[in-house]
């Protein structure tokens, strides 16, 4: 029935006097009810409730029957009528003591059982049920002692049910519904502290409706009644009332259907109408969409959905995905309505893509629920892309790259396993289903590109075949994103952010896909290389996964190919060097060769000092290629000028350079000699320069400690202490010997004690040569611990040192 029913088409309520002035029927269950005697003005409640049961055993027996009836599963019409008759006996109680036989939880259960009976096709059952509910409402108002409507959790459902019953074609059903509504409103108004003005308005509305005085619209009160009740009900109760009105659209009576439409319209704009009931409303809409389309105008149905998605879009999307994973025709219609407005199409698409990637914006979901949402989103996306409305087309035009990436990562997930299949299907069935879904999703991806980016669509059909196979998927990803090279800077930024989000996860398979995409973009586009991208590349070098490690190194090579990006990479070089493997040697040489070509273009002393500062920590890298690269280029940077910053760096480099004169790699040793020569010239130390030219290691170390005594007592000592844990045994031995020389030069007992403590710790090392060096250096420092005269010669110092060593032996 169309929601825009005219007043001529709307069925008329029978003329009926309102319950305040009309006698009520007796409790006898007969097909024809005699007109009851006229009711007098209601006496005060205190006088009405003084009467007691004459025989409580009758009520107890009726209560036993009620309990037994509720436990039975098969209930025919005769049993129902007997049940209603026993309830009538109980609710004719006139005292609180008698009513206490009926506990609150049992009362709520009885109401829940009776509410569906009001839609029965049997007139007598409907009339008797409405009468029983009216008496229950009277008891709730007066006898139960409830202090708030929340103590009666079926309040909202009962109001909705009686509102629809008020428009039943049977006059006695309408009569008892009016009485029930009056009692419920009086109870709710008392709990809320409302005045009696609204109660009088409700009574006038019910009386006018019953008398047929409203000639303009006989169903006008169907909107007034819920409007009055929502002022005295809690948000959860208003939500129950709204859901009950939706259920009323399934009624067979045209009068009730139209009343349900009116109630829904009256509550639609109320924010409390869908509070806590979004899931139930969406499931109900999906399950009864066909009947709704026959009884509601399209704009009414769209209005219901629009109201829900205005406030609870995420819940609507997740519920619709859960209740229809395969996206049946009803779900497809609802999805079309969801994306029909531009203001919501973008957010709906974002939720779908998040679910497709296994990152739904809903907390506390199990892995099974996430898998269901992913599978459902994979079925929904192609359905809404078949004939996308203009609003969705505009969104996809602007966010096609995000949709494209979502589909790529979904296919990657499918190739890893078989989501959405049950164990009963078996592994072969699951694998076949996974491959079918993967091919279907690849087809959706191709259709998406054909629709929104035809100029970038790869002409090679091989790409789609590679993507559809689990064995060649990553090759297909690389070729696809090489082909998508005509991207704007904003699109590249979005792609980079999307891809790096998968590198933060724990799914290695999707991380490999993300690294494939990132490497392809770094090589073939001008994607912005942010610090976050570089951090992800260096972090993946530590991955035990060989594919991730190799792809990360390829990405770093792509960054090094771009001279403008070298400055971003320099601070990360120590971490990069320490995570390289022996198998990476060819690519490592390529990486540092590319970096060296970029550094050769530096001519400014300021920039040279900045670059040298980043190269200095790389002196101690585990990879000898990295050590040679850093020392060689450090020397080149020192030659760019004689600024104070470069001289400070040259001074800081002396200790590590002296230590690496004992490096295991002859190439590194040669680079150290050359760099020491340049540093000595820059520092103006001729004696050090002459010793470097003749390659005298220990004299160079001694003059180093002698010339830079003040500095050695500070920073050099800390630098050398750090090399005691060097991975090279020869460097550790050199550090021990140089510490002995520095300890001899220092006059600070506190610093001398630090050196002694470090050397004593090395006496328990696993290497025998290191233990021996540590023992000799310790005894020598103990022999020289007393203050020596300032003019003692080197010969005298060596004599004392030899004497100490001989005595210790």
């Amino acid at each position: 029935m169309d929601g825009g029913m005219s007043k001529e088409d709307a069925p008329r309520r029978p003329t009926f006097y309102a319950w305040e002035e009309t006698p009520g029927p007796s409790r006898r269950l007969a097909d024809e009810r005699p007109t009851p005697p006229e009711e007098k003005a209601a006496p005060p409640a205190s006088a009405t409730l003084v009467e007691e049961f004459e025989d409580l055993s009758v009520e107890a027996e009726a209560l036993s029957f009620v309990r037994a009836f509720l436990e039975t599963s098969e209930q025919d019409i005769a049993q129902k009528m007997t049940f209603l008759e026993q309830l009538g006996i109980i609710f004719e109680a006139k005292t609180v003591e008698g009513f206490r036989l009926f506990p609150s939880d049992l009362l709520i259960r009885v109401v829940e059982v009776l509410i569906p009976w009001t839609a029965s096709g049997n007139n007598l059952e409907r009339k008797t049920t409405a009468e029983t509910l009216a008496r229950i409402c009277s008891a709730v108002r007066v006898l139960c002692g409830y202090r708030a409507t929340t103590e009666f959790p079926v309040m909202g459902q009962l109001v909705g049910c009686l509102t629809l019953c008020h428009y039943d074609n049977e006059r006695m059903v309408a009569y008892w519904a009016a009485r029930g509504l009056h009692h419920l409103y009086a109870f709710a108004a008392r709990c809320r502290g409302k005045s009696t003005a609204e109660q009088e308005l409700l009574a006038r509305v019910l009386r006018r409706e019953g008398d047929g005085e409203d000639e303009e619209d006989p169903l006008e009160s169907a909107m007034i009644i819920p409007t009055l009740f929502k002022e005295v009900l809690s948000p959860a109760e208003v939500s129950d009332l709204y859901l009950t009105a939706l259920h009323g659209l399934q009624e067979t009576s045209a009068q009730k259907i139209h009343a349900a439409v009116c109630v829904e319209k009256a509550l639609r704009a109320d924010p409390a109408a869908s509070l806590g009931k979004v899931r139930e409303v969406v499931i109900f809409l999906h399950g009864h969409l066909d009947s709704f389309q026959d009884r509601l105008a399209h704009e009414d149905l769209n209005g219901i959905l629009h109201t829900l998605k205005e406030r609870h879009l995420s819940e609507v999307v997740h519920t619709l995905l859960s209740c229809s994973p395969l996206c049946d025709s009803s779900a497809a219609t609802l999805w079309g309505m969801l994306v029909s407005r531009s203001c919501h199409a973008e957010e709906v698409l974002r939720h779908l893509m998040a679910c497709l990637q296994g990152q739904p914006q809903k907390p506390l979901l199990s892995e099974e629920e996430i898998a269901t949402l992913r599978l459902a989103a994979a079925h929904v996306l192609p359905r809404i892309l078949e004939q996308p409305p203009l609003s969705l087309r505009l969104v996809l035009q602007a966010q096609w790259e995000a949709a494209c990436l979502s589909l790529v990562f979904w296919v990657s997930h499918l190739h890893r396993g078989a989501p959405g299949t049950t164990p009963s299907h078996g592994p072969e069935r699951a694998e076949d289903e996974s491959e079918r879904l993967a091919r279907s999703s690849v087809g959706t991806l191709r259709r998406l590109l054909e629709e929104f980016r035809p100029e970038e669509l790869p002409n090679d059909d091989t790409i789609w075949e590679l993507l559809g196979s689990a064995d060649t998927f990553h090759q297909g990803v690389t070729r696809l994103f090489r082909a998508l090279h005509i991207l704007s800077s904003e699109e590249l930024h979005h792609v980079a952010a999307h891809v790096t989000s998968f590198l933060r996860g724990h799914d290695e398979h999707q991380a490999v896909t993300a690294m494939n995409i990132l490497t392809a973009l770094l090589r073939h586009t001008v994607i912005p290389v942010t610090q976050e991208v570089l951090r992800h590349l260096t972090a993946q070098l530590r991955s035990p996964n060989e594919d991730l490690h190799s792809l990360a190194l390829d990405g770093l090579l792509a960054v090094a190919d771009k001279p403008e990006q070298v400055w971003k990479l320099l601070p990360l070089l120590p971490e990069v060097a320490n995570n390289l493997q022996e198998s990476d040697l060819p690519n490592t040489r390529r990486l540092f060769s590319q970096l060296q070509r970029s550094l050769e273009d530096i001519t400014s002393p300021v920039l040279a000092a900045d670059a040298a500062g980043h190269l200095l920590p790389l002196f101690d890298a585990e990879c000898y290629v990295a050590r040679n690269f850093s020392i060689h280029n450090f020397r080149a940077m020192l030659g760019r000028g004689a600024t104070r910053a470069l001289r400070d760096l040259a001074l800081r480099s002396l200790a590590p350079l002296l230590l690496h004169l004992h490096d295991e790699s002859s190439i590194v040793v040669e680079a150290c000699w050359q760099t020491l020569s340049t540093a000595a010239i820059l520092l103006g130390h001729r004696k050090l320069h002459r010793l470097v030219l003749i390659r005298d290691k220990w004299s160079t170390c001694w003059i180093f400690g002698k010339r830079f005594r003040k500095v050695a007592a500070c920073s050099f000592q800390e630098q050398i202490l750090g090399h005691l844990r060097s991975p090279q045994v020869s460097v550790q031995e050199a550090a021990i010997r140089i510490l002995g020389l520095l300890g001899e030069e220092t006059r600070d007992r506190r610093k001398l004690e630090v050196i002694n403590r470090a050397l004593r710790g090395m006496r328990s090392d696993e290497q025998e040569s290191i233990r021996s060096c540590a023992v000799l250096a310790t005894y020598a420092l103990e022999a020289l611990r007393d203050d020596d005269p300032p003019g003692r010669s080197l010969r005298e110092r060596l004599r004392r040192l030899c004497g100490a060593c001989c005595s210790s032996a």
Side-chain angles (χ1 to χ4, degrees), residues 48-336:
T48 305
L49 301 179
V50 173
E51 301 178 8
E52 299 180 354
F53 285 124
E54 296 179 358
D55 189 358
L56 291 180
S57 62
V58 177
E59 284 72 22
E61 184 179 348
L63 184 61
S64 300
F65 180 87
V66 168
R67 291 182 182 275
F69 177 85
L70 293 175
E71 298 298 328
T72 59
S73 56
E74 297 182 1
Q75 301 166 350
D76 55 22
I77 185 63
Q79 291 176 321
K80 288 182 179 181
M81 300 309 294
T82 306
F83 173 72
L84 292 171
E85 186 174 289
Q86 298 301 316
L87 286 175
I89 295 173
I90 295 173
F91 287 107
E92 285 177 353
K94 301 300 182 182
T95 63
V96 176
E97 289 75 11
F99 191 76
R100 282 176 181 169
L101 290 171
F102 212 90
S104 178
D105 57 338
L106 185 62
L107 174 65
I108 293 167
R109 190 176 176 189
V110 166
V111 173
E112 291 174 341
V113 169
L114 293 180
I115 286 176
W117 294 5
T118 59
S120 171
N122 186 294
N123 293 341
L124 180 59
E125 182 181 347
R126 288 205 318 280
K127 288 187 289 186
T128 312
T129 302
E131 180 183 356
T132 304
L133 286 174
R135 294 185 181 277
I136 290 176
C137 294
S138 176
V140 167
R141 173 187 177 185
V142 180
L143 297 175
C144 293
Y146 292 138
R147 298 179 181 178
T149 57
T150 52
E151 297 179 15
F152 188 53
V154 290
M155 181 74 176
Q157 301 175 45
L158 192 53
V159 171
C161 169
L162 293 177
T163 302
L164 297 180
C165 287
H166 183 55
Y167 299 95
D168 195 286
N169 291 326
E170 287 292 326
R171 60 192 296 267
M172 297 310 300
V173 174
Y175 164 79
W176 288 113
R179 291 196 66 171
L181 287 172
H182 175 82
H183 290 307
L184 289 179
Y185 190 88
F187 162 61
R190 183 190 68 208
C191 293
R192 291 279 178 172
K194 295 287 184 178
S195 64
T196 59
E198 289 83 0
Q199 300 182 45
E200 295 174 357
L201 175 60
L202 177 65
R204 287 199 304 271
V205 169
L206 297 177
R207 184 185 301 112
R208 182 178 58 195
E209 187 70 18
D211 293 341
E213 296 176 2
D214 192 354
E215 297 297 336
E216 295 184 0
D217 187 355
L219 293 176
E220 179 186 1
S221 63
M223 299 187 71
I224 299 177
I225 293 172
T227 303
L228 290 173
F229 267 99
K230 73 179 182 181
E231 300 296 330
V232 295
L233 296 179
S234 67
E237 291 162 349
V238 175
S239 182
D240 286 334
L241 173 56
Y242 182 76
L243 190 60
T244 304
L246 291 180
H247 280 272
L249 295 172
Q250 297 178 278
E251 292 279 358
T252 56
S253 166
Q255 191 89 354
K256 280 190 175 183
I257 293 172
H258 192 58
V261 172
C262 294
V263 173
E264 189 278 324
K265 286 183 178 179
L267 295 177
R268 183 188 302 171
D270 194 319
S274 56
L275 180 67
K277 300 291 181 178
V278 177
R279 181 175 179 82
E280 290 83 349
V281 172
V282 173
I283 293 174
F284 189 76
L285 287 175
H286 172 260
H288 303 88
L289 185 63
D290 294 337
S291 61
F292 284 178
Q293 288 176 322
D294 294 337
R295 300 177 179 186
L296 282 175
H298 179 77
E299 57 270 16
D300 289 331
L301 184 58
N302 203 354
I304 296 173
L305 206 57
H306 175 72
T307 302
L308 290 176
K309 64 187 180 182
E310 276 285 342
R311 305 181 181 93
H312 314 281
L313 183 58
S314 174
E315 185 71 20
V316 171
V317 170
H318 291 149
T319 303
L320 193 52
L321 288 172
S322 301
C323 66
S324 181
L326 299 180
C327 192
D328 55 23
S329 59
S330 296
T333 302
L334 293 175
W335 283 115

Side-chain angles (χ1 to χ4, degrees), residues 562-731:
K562 304 171 182 178
E564 68 277 6
Q565 305 294 346
V566 170
W567 290 103
K568 297 179 180 179
L569 188 57
L570 282 177
L572 300 173
L573 283 181
E575 185 178 0
V576 171
N578 290 331
N579 288 293
L580 294 173
Q581 302 173 359
E582 293 184 3
S583 58
D584 300 329
L585 196 56
N587 283 334
T588 302
R589 289 197 176 98
R590 283 180 54 200
L591 174 64
F592 288 115
S593 297
Q594 292 167 2
L595 290 172
Q596 183 170 343
R597 285 196 295 272
S598 299
L599 293 174
E600 288 173 354
D601 297 333
I602 296 176
T603 57
S604 168
V606 177
L607 295 178
D610 192 9
H614 291 307
L615 292 171
L616 191 57
L618 207 58
F619 285 12
D620 303 315
E622 295 182 11
C623 176
Y624 81 92
V625 177
R627 296 199 301 273
N628 181 57
F629 159 80
S630 60
I631 296 172
H632 178 79
N633 284 278
F634 185 84
R635 179 196 175 200
M637 295 300 105
L638 292 181
R640 297 295 190 268
T643 63
R644 181 174 180 176
L646 286 173
R647 283 197 295 269
D648 290 343
L649 287 168
L651 188 61
R652 288 170 52 197
S653 69
L654 292 178
L657 287 173
L658 287 171
L659 289 169
H660 284 287
L661 289 176
H662 305 269
D663 198 279
E664 296 173 352
S665 171
S666 59
I667 300 174
V668 175
V669 172
E670 181 63 29
C672 287
W673 282 118
Q674 295 177 5
T675 306
L676 273 172
S677 176
T678 303
I681 293 172
L682 186 62
L683 294 171
H685 199 314
R686 296 179 181 180
K687 187 179 290 188
L688 177 62
H689 183 246
R690 286 197 299 270
L691 291 173
V692 170
L693 290 179
I694 62 176
R695 307 292 173 93
D696 188 342
K697 290 184 181 179
W698 290 111
S699 295
T700 302
C701 293
W702 181 82
I703 200 66
F704 155 74
K706 184 74 175 175
R707 171 68 176 78
F708 302 105
R709 176 179 296 176
K710 292 183 180 180
V711 181
C714 301
S715 60
F716 289 167
Q717 176 179 318
E718 296 176 359
Q719 285 180 299
I720 296 172
L721 283 171
H723 284 78
L724 291 177
R725 298 301 175 186
S726 172
Q728 299 184 67
V729 175
S730 59
V731 174

Side-chain angles (χ1 to χ4, degrees), residues 326 379 414 431-441:
L326 299 180
H379 285 94
L414 288 171
E431 184 176 355
D432 293 342
E433 178 69 12
S434 180
E435 291 180 359
R436 185 189 66 78
L437 284 172
R439 289 192 297 271
S440 173
S441 298

Side-chain angles (χ1 to χ4, degrees), residues 2-16:
D2 190 357
M5 178 186 293
S6 66
K7 60 182 180 181
E8 291 81 5
D9 298 332
R12 287 292 182 142
R13 287 270 286 80
T15 301
F16 178 63

Side-chain angles (χ1 to χ4, degrees), residues 397 400 449-450 452-459 483-486:
Q397 186 71 30
W400 71 272
L449 293 176
E450 288 175 350
F452 299 102
R453 304 294 286 198
E455 68 277 7
E456 299 180 17
L457 184 68
N459 296 323
L484 297 176
H485 60 279
I486 311 175

